[in-house]
Amino acid sequence: MTVTDKLRAAYAAYAKGDLATAKAEGEAALRAQPANPTVLQLLGVVSCQTGALRQGVDYLRRALANGADTSDTRINLARALLDLGEADEAARVCAEGDVAGSAELQAMQAQILKAQGRATEAGWAYEKLVSDDPKNFTAWNNLGNARHEAGDLEGALQAFQEARQIDPKSSLVHTNIARVLISMDRYEDACRMLEKAALLAPQEAAPLIELGRALTSIDHAEPALRALGAAARLDPSNPRIFLAIAIAFLDLSNNDQAERALRFAIKADRRFAPAYLNLGILLEKANRLDELRAVLADATVAGVTGDDIDYLRALMLSRDGDRETALALIRDLHGSSVNSTIRMQFAGQLADRLGRAEDALYFYEEMNRAQAQSPMGVGVDRSAYQRAIAAADRQTTQAWFAGWAEVPPAADRASPAFLVGFPRSGTTLLDTILMGHSRTHVLEELPIIEELAQSLGDLDHIRTLDAAAVADLRGRYFAELDKRAPSPAGGLVIDKNPLSMIRVPLIHRLFPDAKFILAMRHPCDVVLSCYIQNFKPTEAMASFLDLANASRTYDSIFHYWENCRALFPIDVHMLRYEAMIADVAAATRPLFDFLGLDWEEGVLDHQKTAVERGFIRTPSYAQVTEPIYSSASGRWKRYEPQMREILPILAPWVERYGYSLD
């Protein structure tokens, strides 16, 4: 067989996608003619496509040296060099060719500029290409990407719209437009664009993945799961889909399904670090530390390294008491896929526990800044919650209450008790202690009362409820309770939801004999603690993104609480956090008497109870598994210089509840 025959056979195999045969036939031809530029060029392309980039570069360089100095050869060589991370050498290869006479070389140069981080210059190069050929779809699309990366969002949108006019059925350009809309904080518009992208490419998973992530980011996890489920059916071996599914399940507080999805992601790709990261974080929050160690060991066996794994090591170091090393590790993380708000909060917690208040405050400020700029953060009105409470406060009057029709307490089921208090007042420690009693059934922040309040709408509707309507609402409360967290027979239901303290009128209407437990803590400690937590920025929690607003929210809530206490004949037992950590038995015995429960010594072993309860939804998940400590009491004094401007807002409540600013 002649060289020509071998070359013809190599091209035929290449055309069929049989790269192995193409390479074998080409190498046979090359042995006969070692300097044949056509053979060298073919072998260079085939080698690159089979992943042998370094060998492909060698063949393509030899092709150039032996007369195949064409734009195609230089483009293939530059692309291979770029894939090897040698962008500067790729740029030199392009520059030595006939750039002026080749639009393809110009496009390759622009791609290299973008890879070098020179997005603005890449944009200029693409602008020349679209100027020379206004119908060049690829150039317009790449120009949009370059402008997006350079921060020119309006310019990016304009470029993508031009590409869309050229090819209105391109799923890719619709997806790229959606990415720009997300950068513009136009999430609803982005989701609609991604839905269009998915319809245009029903066999592609990529737009569905983007849609699922976007929906999750704006707290629409259920429709996100539908999109991601469709993506998983199209691409069942893609670990990124299972990661996105896990994050959506976490948003729904379905930790079992989230864990299952993360383990699927690891099974799909044993070297996929973000799955190990998120699984490790989930296990740490559930206080399953032995399993966290096992995840780290599995990652080591799989050869997974980098910042994601180092973050998990920092978590483990912190739990083992080596906070100094953990903080040093966190400071050096730059490439971790962990959410920046989570990373900054963790660093702040470590610095705080090490007594470095100034460093801690820096990390917390960065955390809140990132949270404010998150998809949910940018769309929330931080003062709306305070306005709503103030409106309820004005409406809740003696004359309004006097118009209520008398409704007797429920006779069929005992009324719950309600554990309330400003967030971070020690409610998680207290509910863990209450869980340790054999006759309690504690609900951990199930929003049943809040959902009933939302269904009623205006507060005035409470006044108009007759006995039948009250009975219906009670029935709905217990139906939801039985569905979400069934209570054992004879157990006292304790509905723990701190901010239910603003739902006193509704609670009193449904359960006039209900007992209230008010968790109390120094107002300055509480406000500071809310500020340094990484809450999801809902309308209520967004109040805590700055200290002044957090203080105003505290003032609004307690003003309304005291108004309700003066108006409604509610039975309240107040328990101070400071007293509880000083002598837990002495502080809690009167509480069990108040609830009509016999004292049981087992309630004092809150660490055992915390481990047995599994995943804890509140930010105190780690603290309640530790011995009770007093370092969080009076913490605000370490941050007093930064809190001086808010002290006048809190001072009246400090005095009213028997605390001091000294």
Side-chain angles (χ1 to χ4, degrees):
M1 184 181 291
T2 66
V3 171
T4 302
D5 291 335
K6 289 182 173 63
L7 188 56
R8 188 178 292 115
Y11 272 112
Y14 180 75
K16 293 177 183 177
D18 184 358
L19 299 182
T21 300
K23 190 172 184 181
E25 293 290 353
E27 287 172 343
L30 190 64
R31 284 193 292 272
Q33 292 183 3
N36 187 313
T38 305
V39 176
L40 288 166
Q41 189 179 40
L42 175 63
L43 284 171
V45 171
V46 171
S47 296
C48 290
Q49 290 185 5
T50 58
L53 291 174
R54 187 60 65 189
Q55 186 181 41
V57 165
D58 180 61
Y59 281 132
L60 291 167
R61 286 192 187 280
R62 288 165 61 188
L64 277 177
N66 284 279
D69 192 351
T70 65
S71 294
D72 284 347
T73 304
R74 288 190 176 273
I75 289 168
N76 286 326
L77 176 56
R79 185 173 290 114
L81 289 165
L82 199 58
D83 289 343
L84 286 167
E86 299 175 14
D88 292 345
E89 180 61 15
R92 188 188 66 78
V93 168
C94 286
E96 291 177 352
D98 181 17
V99 178
S102 171
E104 291 78 11
L105 268 177
Q106 292 174 38
M108 191 69 232
Q109 279 189 317
Q111 185 179 341
I112 293 166
L113 287 167
K114 189 169 178 291
Q116 291 174 317
R118 298 157 66 182
T120 301
E121 294 172 73
W124 296 339
Y126 286 125
E127 285 170 5
K128 182 180 184 307
L129 286 167
V130 299
S131 177
D132 293 342
D133 181 6
K135 296 298 183 182
N136 188 332
F137 169 86
T138 301
W140 278 115
N141 185 68
N142 288 336
L143 175 58
N145 285 326
R147 286 176 172 174
H148 190 186
E149 189 171 321
D152 179 7
L153 302 183
E154 292 293 346
L157 201 56
Q158 180 267 331
F160 286 132
Q161 294 291 13
E162 292 285 350
R164 188 185 184 193
Q165 285 189 352
I166 297 168
D167 185 358
K169 294 185 178 181
S170 168
S171 174
L172 173 63
V173 79
H174 283 80
T175 301
N176 285 336
I177 290 171
R179 289 171 178 150
V180 177
L181 292 171
I182 288 171
S183 295
M184 291 176 161
D185 299 325
R186 294 169 55 184
Y187 292 91
E188 299 290 347
D189 292 338
C191 288
R192 284 190 287 271
M193 192 62 64
L194 288 166
E195 288 170 353
K196 176 75 171 175
L199 289 172
L200 289 168
Q203 298 305 312
E204 292 183 15
L208 289 166
I209 299 171
E210 295 279 359
L211 176 59
R213 288 171 175 163
L215 287 167
T216 302
S217 71
I218 55 174
D219 210 23
H220 295 339
E222 290 182 353
L225 284 169
R226 290 194 289 272
L228 292 167
R233 287 189 290 275
L234 291 170
D235 190 3
S237 63
N238 187 337
R240 297 186 182 279
I241 298 175
F242 293 109
L243 173 62
I245 288 172
I247 292 170
F249 274 124
L250 286 171
D251 198 58
L252 293 170
S253 298
N254 190 334
N255 300 301
D256 291 341
Q257 289 286 19
E259 180 179 345
R260 185 166 175 260
L262 290 168
R263 294 192 184 278
F264 266 121
I266 293 172
K267 185 177 180 181
D269 182 355
R270 292 189 67 237
R271 296 183 60 82
F272 185 52
Y276 289 95
L277 170 69
N278 284 274
L279 177 58
I281 290 173
L282 188 152
L283 293 171
E284 192 264 345
K285 285 188 174 182
N287 295 305
R288 294 159 60 185
L289 301 185
D290 288 342
E291 292 175 73
L292 171 57
R293 292 183 204 278
V295 166
L296 280 167
D298 289 345
T300 300
V301 170
V304 184
T305 59
D307 284 353
D308 284 349
I309 303 304
D310 283 345
Y311 183 86
L312 295 184
R313 296 189 195 287
L315 281 180
M316 202 70 257
L317 285 165
S318 175
R319 286 303 197 102
D320 290 340
D322 190 356
R323 298 187 181 92
E324 191 77 53
T325 306
L327 181 57
L329 197 55
I330 287 293
R331 283 182 183 274
D332 291 337
L333 297 184
H334 301 292
S336 174
S337 61
V338 69
N339 183 291
S340 62
T341 59
I342 295 174
R343 183 163 52 87
M344 288 296 101
Q345 185 197 24
F346 184 29
Q349 290 170 336
L350 291 168
D352 178 78
R353 293 292 288 271
L354 290 167
R356 301 177 190 171
E358 191 171 331
D359 287 345
L361 199 64
Y362 164 78
F363 291 126
Y364 291 135
E365 287 171 350
E366 289 297 305
M367 174 194 75
N368 283 309
R369 184 178 296 110
Q371 193 67 282
Q373 294 170 355
S374 70
M376 288 185 66
V378 297
V380 69
D381 181 346
R382 297 193 208 175
S383 61
Y385 192 63
Q386 294 166 28
R387 293 197 302 272
I389 295 169
D393 202 0
R394 290 191 297 270
Q395 195 169 347
T396 305
T397 64
Q398 182 62 52
W400 178 70
F401 180 43
W404 288 20
E406 186 173 346
V407 175
D412 53 338
R413 291 180 70 164
S415 295
F418 291 86
L419 171 53
V420 301
F422 203 78
R424 306 300 297 156
S425 292
T427 53
T428 301
L429 174 59
L430 183 51
D431 79 1
T432 304
I433 291 169
L434 288 165
M435 282 181 189
H437 196 282
S438 63
R439 289 186 51 220
T440 63
H441 180 64
V442 181
L443 311 183
E444 190 189 357
E445 300 192 17
L446 294 181
I448 302 175
I449 284 292
E450 185 62 27
E451 289 166 1
L452 292 178
Q454 295 298 328
S455 71
L456 282 175
D458 189 271
L459 181 69
D460 194 51
H461 290 163
I462 296 174
R463 176 182 59 83
T464 65
L465 296 173
D466 58 17
V470 169
D472 177 67
L473 286 169
R474 284 178 186 152
R476 287 166 59 187
Y477 176 93
F478 285 118
E480 285 299 312
L481 169 63
D482 293 341
K483 182 171 70 174
R484 302 188 198 187
S487 172
L492 172 63
V493 174
I494 300 177
D495 189 333
K496 176 252 182 147
N497 213 314
L499 290 179
S500 285
M501 62 192 301
I502 68 167
R503 297 301 182 189
V504 170
L506 177 59
I507 294 171
H508 185 63
R509 191 63 169 143
L510 302 187
F511 307 107
D513 60 339
K515 295 179 182 292
F516 286 83
I517 308 161
L518 175 66
M520 176 55 62
R521 184 181 176 191
H522 194 298
C524 294
D525 273 333
V526 163
V527 166
L528 174 64
S529 190
C530 286
Y531 173 71
I532 66 179
Q533 297 307 317
N534 180 26
F535 292 118
K536 181 189 292 186
T538 60
E539 196 171 86
M541 297 298 103
S543 301
F544 305 139
L545 292 174
D546 65 85
L547 283 167
N549 209 28
S551 301
R552 288 190 289 269
T553 299
Y554 187 97
D555 181 62
S556 298
I557 286 176
F558 271 95
H559 192 280
Y560 187 50
W561 167 258
E562 289 298 340
N563 181 21
C564 289
R565 285 202 66 177
L567 189 60
F568 302 106
I570 59 176
D571 196 4
V572 180
H573 178 88
M574 186 174 77
L575 195 153
R576 294 180 186 273
Y577 173 77
E578 295 82 3
M580 190 161 51
I581 62 176
D583 188 336
V584 64
T588 55
R589 275 181 183 274
L591 171 61
F592 286 98
D593 290 340
F594 170 74
L595 295 173
L597 298 171
D598 294 333
W599 176 254
E600 294 178 359
E601 289 294 331
V603 301
L604 299 180
D605 193 354
H606 74 281
Q607 292 172 269
K608 178 175 180 288
T609 304
V611 171
E612 290 175 349
R613 72 188 282 190
F615 190 87
I616 299 172
R617 292 185 176 89
T618 72
S620 303
Y621 66 90
Q623 290 95 314
V624 295
T625 64
E626 300 174 356
I628 292 177
Y629 58 88
S630 60
S631 62
S633 181
R635 172 195 277 150
W636 76 273
K637 292 294 288 184
R638 303 202 300 272
Y639 298 87
E640 186 173 4
Q642 293 81 13
M643 297 183 69
R644 282 187 186 131
E645 66 178 46
I646 68 168
L647 294 183
I649 302 172
L650 299 177
W653 300 110
V654 170
E655 181 179 356
R656 180 165 192 146
Y657 290 113
Y659 290 101
S660 170
L661 292 177
D662 295 331

